[in-house]
Amino acid sequence: WATKNEVTKIVKPPKVMKDEEWDGLVERLHGTKRSKESTIKQQQNRELAEQLRELHFKPTLNDNSRRIAADTKRGPMLRRMEMDLEVREKKLQQKREEQADEEIKELQPKPNLEGSKQSLKYLKQANKPTSRTVEDIMQYGEETKLRRLQR
């Protein structure tokens, strides 16, 4: 069909705009943007003004703060802070001492008697003397070390 019927295309040349027309187009496009922005700003200002009407700018104390402020038995705030600091330091010092005592206990050589309980059971079954001291167990440990070195 295209070969039998020639189609003539009409090509319109682009419209050449004058400077005044360009200025008008730019002003119209920017004007709509400006009007949208101004309506958005007006809405934001209204919302902000309503929020500011609701604010009173008065501090409020919660129940715990009121209770602490009413606690005048212990004296003025500075004195209470000093007393609390002293109590805290005493507790920390006590914990440090307890920790140091525990570390000292760990450093002292004491044999683990859990395994010897089983041996004690076998000694009783064999009708052998069961009275042992820590020195006996320590001596046994030394003898086993010596036997290992001899091997």
Side-chain angles (χ1 to χ4, degrees):
W1 185 88
T3 55
K4 292 181 183 176
N5 301 318
E6 288 187 28
V7 179
T8 57
K9 293 184 180 180
I10 300 173
V11 178
K12 288 186 180 180
K15 183 178 178 182
V16 177
M17 294 177 71
K18 297 178 186 174
D19 287 342
E20 297 86 23
E21 292 173 332
W22 277 109
D23 291 341
L25 176 66
V26 169
E27 187 63 36
R28 190 180 79 225
L29 294 175
H30 284 295
T32 56
K33 182 180 179 185
R34 268 190 242 119
S35 65
K36 285 181 184 178
E37 287 177 353
S38 68
T39 55
I40 290 171
K41 283 185 181 179
Q42 288 173 356
Q43 178 65 27
Q44 288 174 344
N45 287 340
R46 274 181 273 171
E47 291 173 359
L48 188 62
E50 188 165 324
Q51 288 176 357
L52 287 174
R53 271 187 241 116
E54 295 173 2
L55 298 177
H56 302 291
F57 298 105
K58 294 179 183 175
T60 57
L61 297 177
N62 62 17
D63 293 335
N64 191 31
S65 297
R66 284 192 189 107
R67 183 184 55 77
I68 292 172
D71 185 16
T72 57
K73 294 176 186 174
R74 296 187 336 170
M77 181 68 169
L78 185 59
R79 185 168 168 230
R80 287 190 309 219
M81 287 175 54
E82 290 172 353
M83 288 172 46
D84 290 342
L85 188 60
E86 288 174 10
V87 169
R88 181 174 180 257
E89 286 297 324
K90 286 179 183 176
K91 286 182 181 178
L92 285 174
Q93 185 62 30
Q94 184 179 4
K95 283 186 180 181
R96 286 185 196 118
E97 290 172 0
E98 289 174 2
Q99 187 177 11
D101 290 342
E102 287 178 16
E103 289 176 0
I104 289 172
K105 286 179 183 177
E106 289 176 6
L107 293 176
Q108 292 176 348
K110 288 187 179 177
N112 183 6
L113 299 177
E114 289 298 318
S116 68
K117 288 180 182 177
Q118 188 70 23
S119 301
L120 187 62
K121 179 181 159 187
Y122 291 130
L123 287 172
K124 284 182 182 179
Q125 286 177 353
N127 292 327
K128 293 190 177 182
T130 58
S131 60
R132 290 178 291 160
T133 61
V134 174
E135 288 81 23
D136 294 336
I137 297 171
M138 295 295 286
Q139 182 183 356
Y140 174 76
E142 293 297 324
E143 289 173 0
T144 53
K145 286 181 189 176
L146 182 63
R147 279 192 229 119
R148 280 189 210 133
L149 289 174
Q150 290 174 350
R151 292 182 185 165

PDB file of all heavy atoms in Angstrom, residues 11-30:
ATOM      1  N   VAL A  11       6.095  18.629   7.300  1.00  0.00           N
ATOM      2  CA  VAL A  11       7.036  18.942   8.355  1.00  0.00           C
ATOM      3  C   VAL A  11       6.890  20.412   8.690  1.00  0.00           C
ATOM      4  O   VAL A  11       7.080  21.276   7.830  1.00  0.00           O
ATOM      5  CB  VAL A  11       8.485  18.631   7.917  1.00  0.00           C
ATOM      6  CG1 VAL A  11       9.465  19.010   8.999  1.00  0.00           C
ATOM      7  CG2 VAL A  11       8.614  17.185   7.529  1.00  0.00           C
ATOM      8  N   LYS A  12       6.490  20.637   9.935  1.00  0.00           N
ATOM      9  CA  LYS A  12       6.349  22.022  10.363  1.00  0.00           C
ATOM     10  C   LYS A  12       7.680  22.490  10.914  1.00  0.00           C
ATOM     11  O   LYS A  12       8.277  21.811  11.750  1.00  0.00           O
ATOM     12  CB  LYS A  12       5.297  22.134  11.455  1.00  0.00           C
ATOM     13  CG  LYS A  12       3.888  21.943  10.976  1.00  0.00           C
ATOM     14  CD  LYS A  12       2.932  22.222  12.132  1.00  0.00           C
ATOM     15  CE  LYS A  12       1.508  22.053  11.698  1.00  0.00           C
ATOM     16  NZ  LYS A  12       0.581  22.314  12.791  1.00  0.00           N
ATOM     17  N   PRO A  13       8.116  23.590  10.506  1.00  0.00           N
ATOM     18  CA  PRO A  13       9.350  24.117  11.079  1.00  0.00           C
ATOM     19  C   PRO A  13       9.057  24.578  12.511  1.00  0.00           C
ATOM     20  O   PRO A  13       7.953  25.014  12.813  1.00  0.00           O
ATOM     21  CB  PRO A  13       9.715  25.285  10.173  1.00  0.00           C
ATOM     22  CG  PRO A  13       8.447  25.695   9.520  1.00  0.00           C
ATOM     23  CD  PRO A  13       7.578  24.460   9.449  1.00  0.00           C
ATOM     24  N   PRO A  14      10.041  24.434  13.390  1.00  0.00           N
ATOM     25  CA  PRO A  14       9.803  24.843  14.769  1.00  0.00           C
ATOM     26  C   PRO A  14       9.527  26.342  14.839  1.00  0.00           C
ATOM     27  O   PRO A  14      10.093  27.125  14.083  1.00  0.00           O
ATOM     28  CB  PRO A  14      11.098  24.472  15.494  1.00  0.00           C
ATOM     29  CG  PRO A  14      12.111  24.310  14.438  1.00  0.00           C
ATOM     30  CD  PRO A  14      11.391  23.945  13.175  1.00  0.00           C
ATOM     31  N   LYS A  15       8.643  26.665  15.769  1.00  0.00           N
ATOM     32  CA  LYS A  15       8.267  28.046  15.914  1.00  0.00           C
ATOM     33  C   LYS A  15       9.417  28.801  16.547  1.00  0.00           C
ATOM     34  O   LYS A  15       9.969  28.387  17.555  1.00  0.00           O
ATOM     35  CB  LYS A  15       7.030  28.141  16.795  1.00  0.00           C
ATOM     36  CG  LYS A  15       6.511  29.547  16.939  1.00  0.00           C
ATOM     37  CD  LYS A  15       5.257  29.571  17.780  1.00  0.00           C
ATOM     38  CE  LYS A  15       4.787  30.995  17.949  1.00  0.00           C
ATOM     39  NZ  LYS A  15       3.608  31.077  18.794  1.00  0.00           N
ATOM     40  N   VAL A  16       9.737  29.866  15.963  1.00  0.00           N
ATOM     41  CA  VAL A  16      10.801  30.700  16.489  1.00  0.00           C
ATOM     42  C   VAL A  16      10.163  31.704  17.440  1.00  0.00           C
ATOM     43  O   VAL A  16       9.277  32.462  17.051  1.00  0.00           O
ATOM     44  CB  VAL A  16      11.560  31.426  15.358  1.00  0.00           C
ATOM     45  CG1 VAL A  16      12.621  32.347  15.911  1.00  0.00           C
ATOM     46  CG2 VAL A  16      12.159  30.428  14.397  1.00  0.00           C
ATOM     47  N   MET A  17      10.601  31.640  18.669  1.00  0.00           N
ATOM     48  CA  MET A  17      10.009  32.499  19.679  1.00  0.00           C
ATOM     49  C   MET A  17      10.854  33.753  19.852  1.00  0.00           C
ATOM     50  O   MET A  17      12.077  33.702  19.800  1.00  0.00           O
ATOM     51  CB  MET A  17       9.894  31.750  21.016  1.00  0.00           C
ATOM     52  CG  MET A  17       8.932  30.594  20.962  1.00  0.00           C
ATOM     53  SD  MET A  17       8.849  29.658  22.496  1.00  0.00           S
ATOM     54  CE  MET A  17       8.016  30.809  23.538  1.00  0.00           C
ATOM     55  N   LYS A  18      10.155  34.797  20.116  1.00  0.00           N
ATOM     56  CA  LYS A  18      10.836  36.051  20.371  1.00  0.00           C
ATOM     57  C   LYS A  18      11.275  36.080  21.827  1.00  0.00           C
ATOM     58  O   LYS A  18      10.805  35.293  22.652  1.00  0.00           O
ATOM     59  CB  LYS A  18       9.897  37.223  20.089  1.00  0.00           C
ATOM     60  CG  LYS A  18       9.471  37.304  18.639  1.00  0.00           C
ATOM     61  CD  LYS A  18       8.517  38.453  18.446  1.00  0.00           C
ATOM     62  CE  LYS A  18       7.964  38.447  17.033  1.00  0.00           C
ATOM     63  NZ  LYS A  18       6.931  39.458  16.848  1.00  0.00           N
ATOM     64  N   ASP A  19      12.148  37.010  22.127  1.00  0.00           N
ATOM     65  CA  ASP A  19      12.651  37.119  23.501  1.00  0.00           C
ATOM     66  C   ASP A  19      11.526  37.363  24.501  1.00  0.00           C
ATOM     67  O   ASP A  19      11.523  36.805  25.597  1.00  0.00           O
ATOM     68  CB  ASP A  19      13.687  38.253  23.605  1.00  0.00           C
ATOM     69  CG  ASP A  19      15.011  37.867  22.942  1.00  0.00           C
ATOM     70  OD1 ASP A  19      15.213  36.646  22.729  1.00  0.00           O
ATOM     71  OD2 ASP A  19      15.822  38.759  22.663  1.00  0.00           O
ATOM     72  N   GLU A  20      10.545  38.179  24.117  1.00  0.00           N
ATOM     73  CA  GLU A  20       9.436  38.460  25.025  1.00  0.00           C
ATOM     74  C   GLU A  20       8.616  37.192  25.286  1.00  0.00           C
ATOM     75  O   GLU A  20       8.139  36.946  26.387  1.00  0.00           O
ATOM     76  CB  GLU A  20       8.521  39.549  24.474  1.00  0.00           C
ATOM     77  CG  GLU A  20       9.179  40.900  24.299  1.00  0.00           C
ATOM     78  CD  GLU A  20       9.905  41.035  22.956  1.00  0.00           C
ATOM     79  OE1 GLU A  20       9.559  40.307  21.991  1.00  0.00           O
ATOM     80  OE2 GLU A  20      10.837  41.824  22.881  1.00  0.00           O
ATOM     81  N   GLU A  21       8.449  36.364  24.237  1.00  0.00           N
ATOM     82  CA  GLU A  21       7.698  35.118  24.409  1.00  0.00           C
ATOM     83  C   GLU A  21       8.448  34.153  25.332  1.00  0.00           C
ATOM     84  O   GLU A  21       7.845  33.473  26.165  1.00  0.00           O
ATOM     85  CB  GLU A  21       7.436  34.468  23.050  1.00  0.00           C
ATOM     86  CG  GLU A  21       6.478  35.265  22.168  1.00  0.00           C
ATOM     87  CD  GLU A  21       6.360  34.684  20.767  1.00  0.00           C
ATOM     88  OE1 GLU A  21       7.343  34.052  20.292  1.00  0.00           O
ATOM     89  OE2 GLU A  21       5.317  34.853  20.154  1.00  0.00           O
ATOM     90  N   TRP A  22       9.778  34.076  25.143  1.00  0.00           N
ATOM     91  CA  TRP A  22      10.585  33.225  26.030  1.00  0.00           C
ATOM     92  C   TRP A  22      10.466  33.701  27.473  1.00  0.00           C
ATOM     93  O   TRP A  22      10.286  32.906  28.398  1.00  0.00           O
ATOM     94  CB  TRP A  22      12.059  33.239  25.618  1.00  0.00           C
ATOM     95  CG  TRP A  22      12.411  32.303  24.503  1.00  0.00           C
ATOM     96  CD1 TRP A  22      12.743  32.629  23.223  1.00  0.00           C
ATOM     97  CD2 TRP A  22      12.439  30.880  24.574  1.00  0.00           C
ATOM     98  NE1 TRP A  22      12.974  31.517  22.476  1.00  0.00           N
ATOM     99  CE2 TRP A  22      12.798  30.411  23.291  1.00  0.00           C
ATOM    100  CE3 TRP A  22      12.187  29.948  25.558  1.00  0.00           C
ATOM    101  CZ2 TRP A  22      12.920  29.071  22.985  1.00  0.00           C
ATOM    102  CZ3 TRP A  22      12.323  28.616  25.253  1.00  0.00           C
ATOM    103  CH2 TRP A  22      12.677  28.180  23.994  1.00  0.00           C
ATOM    104  N   ASP A  23      10.559  34.996  27.661  1.00  0.00           N
ATOM    105  CA  ASP A  23      10.438  35.542  29.008  1.00  0.00           C
ATOM    106  C   ASP A  23       9.077  35.210  29.613  1.00  0.00           C
ATOM    107  O   ASP A  23       8.965  34.868  30.797  1.00  0.00           O
ATOM    108  CB  ASP A  23      10.649  37.059  28.997  1.00  0.00           C
ATOM    109  CG  ASP A  23      12.092  37.442  28.681  1.00  0.00           C
ATOM    110  OD1 ASP A  23      12.973  36.543  28.848  1.00  0.00           O
ATOM    111  OD2 ASP A  23      12.342  38.595  28.306  1.00  0.00           O
ATOM    112  N   GLY A  24       8.049  35.293  28.840  1.00  0.00           N
ATOM    113  CA  GLY A  24       6.702  34.977  29.324  1.00  0.00           C
ATOM    114  C   GLY A  24       6.583  33.500  29.706  1.00  0.00           C
ATOM    115  O   GLY A  24       5.970  33.158  30.729  1.00  0.00           O
ATOM    116  N   LEU A  25       7.156  32.623  28.854  1.00  0.00           N
ATOM    117  CA  LEU A  25       7.101  31.189  29.149  1.00  0.00           C
ATOM    118  C   LEU A  25       7.849  30.875  30.450  1.00  0.00           C
ATOM    119  O   LEU A  25       7.343  30.155  31.320  1.00  0.00           O
ATOM    120  CB  LEU A  25       7.706  30.390  27.984  1.00  0.00           C
ATOM    121  CG  LEU A  25       7.805  28.885  28.179  1.00  0.00           C
ATOM    122  CD1 LEU A  25       6.421  28.264  28.246  1.00  0.00           C
ATOM    123  CD2 LEU A  25       8.613  28.242  27.065  1.00  0.00           C
ATOM    124  N   VAL A  26       9.036  31.414  30.582  1.00  0.00           N
ATOM    125  CA  VAL A  26       9.835  31.180  31.788  1.00  0.00           C
ATOM    126  C   VAL A  26       9.110  31.725  33.015  1.00  0.00           C
ATOM    127  O   VAL A  26       9.040  31.071  34.066  1.00  0.00           O
ATOM    128  CB  VAL A  26      11.240  31.814  31.636  1.00  0.00           C
ATOM    129  CG1 VAL A  26      11.987  31.827  32.962  1.00  0.00           C
ATOM    130  CG2 VAL A  26      12.041  31.080  30.582  1.00  0.00           C
ATOM    131  N   GLU A  27       8.519  32.919  32.884  1.00  0.00           N
ATOM    132  CA  GLU A  27       7.804  33.521  34.003  1.00  0.00           C
ATOM    133  C   GLU A  27       6.591  32.679  34.384  1.00  0.00           C
ATOM    134  O   GLU A  27       6.317  32.464  35.574  1.00  0.00           O
ATOM    135  CB  GLU A  27       7.364  34.947  33.630  1.00  0.00           C
ATOM    136  CG  GLU A  27       6.760  35.724  34.753  1.00  0.00           C
ATOM    137  CD  GLU A  27       7.739  35.952  35.884  1.00  0.00           C
ATOM    138  OE1 GLU A  27       8.945  36.142  35.632  1.00  0.00           O
ATOM    139  OE2 GLU A  27       7.294  35.937  37.039  1.00  0.00           O
ATOM    140  N   ARG A  28       5.882  32.146  33.397  1.00  0.00           N
ATOM    141  CA  ARG A  28       4.714  31.318  33.688  1.00  0.00           C
ATOM    142  C   ARG A  28       5.116  30.014  34.400  1.00  0.00           C
ATOM    143  O   ARG A  28       4.495  29.611  35.384  1.00  0.00           O
ATOM    144  CB  ARG A  28       3.986  30.992  32.374  1.00  0.00           C
ATOM    145  CG  ARG A  28       2.629  30.346  32.604  1.00  0.00           C
ATOM    146  CD  ARG A  28       1.921  30.021  31.303  1.00  0.00           C
ATOM    147  NE  ARG A  28       2.488  28.795  30.780  1.00  0.00           N
ATOM    148  CZ  ARG A  28       2.839  28.579  29.521  1.00  0.00           C
ATOM    149  NH1 ARG A  28       2.689  29.549  28.626  1.00  0.00           N
ATOM    150  NH2 ARG A  28       3.334  27.438  29.122  1.00  0.00           N
ATOM    151  N   LEU A  29       6.185  29.374  33.926  1.00  0.00           N
ATOM    152  CA  LEU A  29       6.628  28.128  34.550  1.00  0.00           C
ATOM    153  C   LEU A  29       7.138  28.361  35.969  1.00  0.00           C
ATOM    154  O   LEU A  29       6.820  27.610  36.887  1.00  0.00           O
ATOM    155  CB  LEU A  29       7.706  27.447  33.701  1.00  0.00           C
ATOM    156  CG  LEU A  29       7.246  26.934  32.336  1.00  0.00           C
ATOM    157  CD1 LEU A  29       8.436  26.403  31.541  1.00  0.00           C
ATOM    158  CD2 LEU A  29       6.206  25.842  32.508  1.00  0.00           C
ATOM    159  N   HIS A  30       7.930  29.391  36.144  1.00  0.00           N
ATOM    160  CA  HIS A  30       8.450  29.688  37.481  1.00  0.00           C
ATOM    161  C   HIS A  30       7.353  30.189  38.407  1.00  0.00           C
ATOM    162  O   HIS A  30       7.402  29.977  39.621  1.00  0.00           O
ATOM    163  CB  HIS A  30       9.589  30.709  37.411  1.00  0.00           C
ATOM    164  CG  HIS A  30      10.881  30.126  36.935  1.00  0.00           C
ATOM    165  ND1 HIS A  30      11.570  29.179  37.635  1.00  0.00           N
ATOM    166  CD2 HIS A  30      11.596  30.353  35.800  1.00  0.00           C
ATOM    167  CE1 HIS A  30      12.665  28.835  36.963  1.00  0.00           C
ATOM    168  NE2 HIS A  30      12.709  29.528  35.848  1.00  0.00           N
TER     169      HIS A  30
END
